[in-house]
Amino acid sequence: MIGLRIISLIIGYCFGLFQTGYFIGKMNHLDIRQHGSGNAGTTNTIRIIGWKAGGLTLLGDILKCIFAIMICRFMVSRAGDADPLILGAYGALGAILGHDFPFYLKGRGGKGMACTAGLVIGEAPILVPPLLLVFVLPLLVTRYVSLSSILVSLCLPVFAFLGRTYGFLNIPDDGTFWEFMIILIAVGVLNIIKHRANIVRLIRGNESKLGHKDKEK
């Protein structure tokens, strides 16, 4: 059981290593991490290259997490008596770690939010509508992608708990549910840590808004 979890983490990490924004940047003859916020994720790609490149980055980073979940759920689970949901969650966690800390880029990847979206779509799609509202509504009001991302990270385990409590999220086994919750909390904490510089800028009032060209940092 523990071995399958480790294998799922490794599988996920390997998928997470595909840095969509970085490779799209290279196709445009630049290292996206050397421009704007220095991040290899969707928002910085939009600011530096454009919306089309940002959309492709978002799609690629979501899909790599979903593919990791699918492989862990439908292939690794056949090797032993393990819950596909949990193996998928470990695969998603691995993908987020690979995305955030790619070894071949010296650990300078993205911030994991698109991969987190892949986790929700692949593991608990019932949570997509409320989490989408949590992301979109503050973004429309403030245009701070970072603020919306932080709020989603905080709400993810809360909504999962409420969903299971009120029967919207079908995870009958208590042990499975709490292990799933621990993974979601770990993902949320990691996402917030990756946004620590954004939090400082939000407090200081100099965080960049969506639609504005980011200053070189």
Side-chain angles (χ1 to χ4, degrees):
M1 294 285 285
I2 294 176
L4 291 177
R5 286 161 169 78
I6 293 173
I7 292 172
S8 296
L9 273 172
I10 294 171
I11 289 173
Y13 183 84
C14 291
F15 272 92
L17 291 176
F18 185 83
Q19 295 290 313
T20 314
Y22 175 79
F23 292 125
I24 288 176
K26 286 297 183 181
M27 291 171 62
N28 286 270
H29 311 292
L30 58 85
D31 183 345
I32 194 70
R33 301 169 307 146
Q34 302 300 324
H35 300 269
S37 66
N39 184 258
T42 299
T43 304
N44 198 40
T45 305
I46 290 172
R47 287 175 178 149
I48 303 304
I49 305 177
W51 284 93
K52 181 178 179 180
L56 290 173
T57 299
L58 176 65
L59 181 62
D61 288 344
I62 289 175
L63 287 177
K64 70 186 181 185
C65 189
I66 292 176
F67 289 151
I69 290 170
M70 290 173 61
I71 287 180
C72 291
R73 286 180 67 125
F74 299 115
M75 293 182 63
V76 179
S77 62
R78 296 184 180 182
D81 184 18
D83 192 307
L85 176 76
I86 292 300
L87 295 184
Y90 276 102
L93 176 59
I96 293 169
L97 290 171
H99 176 79
D100 289 356
F101 308 107
F103 72 88
Y104 65 97
L105 296 178
K106 299 181 180 179
R108 291 182 58 200
K111 295 181 180 177
M113 291 310 303
C115 285
T116 300
L119 185 161
V120 178
I121 294 169
E123 290 282 273
I126 191 67
L127 300 181
V128 170
L131 287 172
L132 189 60
L133 284 176
V134 169
F135 185 86
V136 170
L137 292 181
L139 182 61
L140 291 175
V141 174
T142 69
R143 288 187 290 168
Y144 289 132
V145 176
S146 57
L147 177 61
S148 292
S149 299
I150 292 164
L151 291 173
V152 167
S153 299
L154 290 170
C155 289
L156 175 57
V158 175
F159 285 3
F161 178 81
L162 293 175
R164 201 254 188 166
T165 299
Y166 291 101
F168 297 107
L169 188 60
N170 185 23
I171 308 177
D173 180 72
D174 284 339
T176 298
F177 173 69
W178 288 112
E179 188 172 3
F180 186 62
M181 281 291 294
I182 289 170
I183 294 171
L184 295 185
I185 291 170
V187 167
V189 170
L190 178 60
N191 290 346
I192 291 171
I193 290 173
K194 291 289 290 185
H195 282 85
R196 61 191 182 278
N198 303 89
I199 294 171
V200 172
R201 290 195 293 270
L202 284 167
I203 293 171
R204 293 176 176 174
N206 59 357
E207 174 71 326
S208 298
K209 294 184 177 182
L210 186 66
H212 289 183
K213 286 291 183 180
D214 214 6
K215 295 179 180 181
E216 299 287 338
K217 294 181 176 63

